[in-house]
């Protein structure tokens, strides 16, 4: 029954079942932001960020709903005007007849969500939660099929992630031993203690700052001086890239569940727009 229609409220009900709003972490804003629940939905676009470029893609492509990981509106927004990016996005969506739904931390913790997708792409086995904030499983940790070097693992990671301008930043020796891997899509420098407690050899996350990474690595270097094992190592793989892998699987599951519950199967596609805010890098390293 492809190309038949269901309502926006039907799709929202399925999304809420896949990523229950109650599992979002404190202060997070999730769910339907823009749209008439009675509107028909034939085409859905999945993306990480509701940037103006993605909104334009949704409107120009004739999509009825845009599902994003990050939410558009935050606390403190007092006006929706075209002179501000968020206001321009809301107006463009409304005028284009495109709804907007976000699944943020509730997608991070979900089974089949952001972190499960990242762990699966790396081929991790015996996967378990990295940490449990507010009773929800955030991040994942698991085993590679075979031990490898840090450089080899970084190359593998680069191959499975979508291409982004910044690439990977790696902290650790190229020949460092890697078998147990911790992952947390998006910003993850608050979970360094959990990474160490989990016995991970390397931590894949994003948005890492100088001082937390430096101090974290110093612990490993100090252990090595005492005859222990250097680690864990750290890879900053970019916010957009680490949170992109879940989109395809979530979109397929969404189409399946909507068809199962309504009989109508929406066309669900993943955005081709790269929303990493960085555009290019220039190396300053000699040699």
């Amino acid at each position: 029954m492809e190309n038949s229609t269901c309502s926006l409220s039907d799709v929202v009900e399925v999304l809420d079942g896949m990523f229950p709003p109650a599992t979002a972490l404190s202060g997070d804003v999730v769910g339907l932001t823009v749209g008439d629940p009675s509107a028909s939905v034939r085409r859905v676009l999945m993306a990480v960020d509701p940037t103006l470029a993605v909104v334009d893609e949704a409107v120009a492509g004739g999509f009825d709903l845009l599902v994003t990981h990050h939410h558009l509106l935050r606390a403190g927004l007092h006006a929706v005007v075209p002179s501000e990016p968020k206001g321009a996005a809301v107006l463009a969506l409304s005028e284009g007849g495109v709804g907007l739904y976000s699944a943020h931390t509730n997608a991070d913790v979900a089974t089949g969500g952001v972190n499960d997708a990242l762990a699966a792409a790396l081929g991790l086995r015996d996967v378990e939660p990295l940490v449990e904030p507010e009773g929800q499983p955030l991040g994942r940790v698991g085993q590679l099929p075979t031990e490898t070097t840090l450089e080899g693992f970084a190359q593998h990671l680069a191959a499975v992630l979508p291409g982004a301008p910044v690439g990977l930043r790696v902290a650790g020796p190229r020949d460092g031993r890697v078998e147990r891997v911790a992952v947390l899509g998006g910003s993850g420098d608050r979970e360094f203690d959990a990474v160490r407690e989990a016995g991970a050899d390397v931590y894949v996350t994003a948005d890492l700052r100088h001082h937390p990474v430096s101090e974290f690595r110093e612990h490993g270097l100090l252990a090595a001086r005492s005859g222990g094992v250097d680690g864990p190592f750290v890879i900053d793989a970019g916010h957009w890239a680490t949170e992109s892998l879940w989109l395809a699987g979530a979109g397929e599951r969404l189409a399946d569940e909507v068809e199962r519950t309504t009989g109508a199967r929406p066309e669900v596609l993943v955005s081709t727009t790269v929303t990493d805010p960085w555009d290019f890098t220039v190396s300053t390293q000699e040699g």
Side-chain angles (χ1 to χ4, degrees):
M1 297 186 64
E2 193 161 348
N3 295 324
S4 58
T5 65
C6 55
S7 70
L8 178 55
S9 63
D10 291 329
V11 179
V12 167
E13 184 176 356
V14 169
L15 286 166
D16 284 350
M18 292 169 58
F19 310 110
T23 63
L25 302 184
S26 298
D28 197 13
V29 180
V30 298
L32 186 65
T33 303
V34 177
D36 178 356
S38 66
S40 295
V41 174
R42 292 183 175 85
R43 305 189 77 212
V44 179
L45 184 65
M46 308 284 294
V48 173
D49 299 290
T51 61
L52 289 172
V54 171
V55 168
D56 288 345
E57 180 185 359
V59 173
F63 290 91
D64 305 299
L65 175 63
L66 173 60
V67 176
T68 62
H69 184 45
H70 296 136
H71 38 70
L72 177 64
L73 304 181
R74 300 173 184 269
L77 181 68
H78 302 294
V80 176
V81 293
S83 59
E84 293 292 331
K86 293 185 183 298
V90 170
L91 293 173
L93 289 165
S94 297
E95 292 169 2
V98 183
L100 175 63
Y101 180 100
S102 65
H104 189 215
T105 54
N106 49 332
D108 288 328
V109 302
T111 299
V114 172
N115 291 297
D116 276 344
L118 185 53
L122 289 170
L124 300 187
R125 300 174 177 177
D126 302 321
V127 176
E128 57 189 26
L130 174 62
V131 67
E132 292 200 2
E134 302 176 26
Q136 299 299 330
L138 184 65
R140 301 291 187 266
V141 60
Q143 302 290 127
L144 291 171
T146 57
E147 182 180 314
T148 185
T149 64
L150 178 59
E151 183 173 24
F153 173 77
Q155 290 172 343
H156 174 52
L157 176 62
V160 302
L161 290 177
V166 174
L168 308 181
R169 296 189 298 169
V170 183
R174 292 177 182 271
D175 61 353
R177 167 194 166 280
V178 171
E179 185 173 12
R180 187 162 174 80
V181 179
V183 300
L184 198 163
S187 303
D189 63 10
R190 295 180 179 179
E191 306 304 337
F192 280 138
D193 288 343
V195 171
R196 190 178 292 110
E197 291 172 6
D201 301 312
V202 65
Y203 181 35
V204 178
T205 188
D207 294 348
L208 297 177
R209 297 169 294 158
H210 175 94
H211 292 294
V213 174
S214 178
E215 184 172 333
F216 184 67
R217 285 292 299 128
E218 289 284 277
H219 280 281
L221 296 171
L222 185 61
R225 283 187 179 185
S226 304
V229 177
D230 180 13
F233 313 125
V234 182
I235 300 181
D236 187 324
H239 200 124
W240 172 79
T242 56
E243 293 186 334
S244 293
L245 296 175
W246 77 288
L247 296 173
E252 183 176 355
R253 182 180 167 194
L254 173 62
D256 289 344
E257 287 297 306
V258 171
E259 183 178 34
R260 184 183 66 80
T261 56
T262 71
R265 185 178 184 87
E267 180 183 16
V268 184
L269 301 176
V270 175
S271 172
T272 59
T273 301
V274 176
T275 56
D276 191 304
W278 306 106
D279 293 310
F280 64 91
T281 59
V282 177
S283 176
T284 57
Q285 184 173 344
E286 296 182 0

